[in-house]
Amino acid sequence: MDKLVIHGPSQLEGEVRISGAKNAALPIMMGALLTPEPVRLSNVPHLRDVTTTLQLLASMGTRIVVDEKLNIELDTSDIHSREAPYELVKTMRASILVLGPLLARFGEARVSLPGGCAIGSRPVDVHIHGMEKMGAEIRVEQGYIHARADRLKGAHILMHTVTVTGTENLLMAAVLADGVTVLENAATEPEVQDLCHYLNKMGANIRGIGTSTLTIEGVDELKGCEHAIIPDRIEAGTYLAAAALTKSRITATHAEPRHMTAVLEKFVEAGAKLDIEEDRITLDMRDRELKPVDIVTAPYPLFPTDMQAQFLVMNCLAPGRAVIEETIFENRFMHVSELLRMGADIRVQGNKAITKGVDHLVGAPVMATDLRASASLILAGLAAQGETVVNRVYHIDRGYECIEEKFHKLGADIVRLTD
């Protein structure tokens, strides 16, 4: 099993290219099931979840071509299976996103209940309820969702909770439905918007993009298209947090600052100097003091839960007291126990993590428990004195492309070892 060995404290300098967004790429790849014509995707990140998605699509009969620039062509004209088996989807929650496209185009789907990070309950009842309102017959048996419909019908669906995957699944189901579907309380994340723009390129009719009410007028068929995946705002934020923690200066290139307003405002509050251009963000923390910041996670456009762990580490080294309140997932402070091993002063009370800044962290063996926890432990290792060993880094490979190589190019002493 791979592990990352980091010797700190690090001084970072240079530019880091931000990859395509995993959370945009996965639903867009699965959206290829909606058309028999090929779709061509660029800026797809090279990640474990992307590989798993390609394996899942291939198992259904998708023809896949990857060129020398890592652009991906998906041709689903010869789909022979409507099943997403447990063996392929047990590590990836996004696998549920084949349900909507399969049901909309083929009228049937058998999808395993998904896995993914162990960060709390993330039920799929919103997906099921919405598709039932659109006329699907659904039953859940032995860990599988069995869905069937002659043709889905447009419906008015009020989602009782804001959910990104729920919005995406119902959106993809609705584009081929008979009639108009209205999704109220829809997620507005940039990744959802990217999926909407992609589907419209394919011939869908989606209005209200970027708002909490999406109106989808169903069409009879969709066509192929070309589409570039948006930059990963969480990856960009993670590298900027590394610069803040290590009192360094780095530039994130091929980024999208407009998707990061809440996070960038918190970096400024934390004492960082920012220089923002069209697709470049430079964070300079040299000769500046890190300041503690209070954070409440919330759906976009507010502060994202996927940046909570990174800012928690920043607060660990910021003189003073800070409170981070996690409102999205109920079990997303599992990295706290590992940070305590490195000398952090953190107290968890319910869904709040209260930090008191310390002078320094000390390297230690730590274990990653989920994707963003992995990132936070790497950041802590970069700032800590001595050697940090981050175990179970398969989590990090699900969401960060070549993370040790990118940090190494920025000047970090970090290597990957295999036991």
Side-chain angles (χ1 to χ4, degrees), residues 87-125:
E87 293 72 21
L88 278 174
V89 305
K90 61 185 177 182
T91 63
M92 187 182 68
R93 178 169 179 78
S95 59
I96 190 70
L97 290 171
V98 300
L99 179 62
L102 287 174
L103 191 57
R105 181 175 162 199
F106 300 105
E108 61 178 337
R110 183 174 184 266
V111 180
S112 170
L113 291 170
C117 291
I119 54 175
S121 174
R122 300 196 284 186
V124 297
D125 59 325

Side-chain angles (χ1 to χ4, degrees), residues 117-158:
C117 291
I119 54 175
S121 174
R122 300 196 284 186
V124 297
D125 59 325
V126 173
H127 308 238
I128 293 173
H129 172 72
M131 290 183 197
E132 286 179 334
K133 287 205 70 172
M134 298 168 72
E137 296 179 4
I138 297 180
R139 66 184 195 279
V140 180
E141 293 178 352
Q142 297 180 317
Y144 277 82
I145 300 171
H146 301 258
R148 189 174 295 275
D150 291 333
R151 185 181 180 187
L152 295 173
K153 306 292 184 182
H156 192 116
I157 301 170
L158 173 60

Side-chain angles (χ1 to χ4, degrees), residues 1-5 48 366-368 374 389-397 404 415-419:
M1 190 174 294
D2 288 3
K3 59 187 177 184
L4 292 176
V5 180
R48 179 168 294 186
V366 292
M367 186 170 294
S374 304
V389 179
V390 182
N391 295 287
R392 292 173 64 181
V393 294
Y394 58 83
H395 288 293
I396 205 81
D397 295 334
E404 72 275 13
V415 295
R416 179 181 293 249
L417 299 179
T418 302
D419 291 334

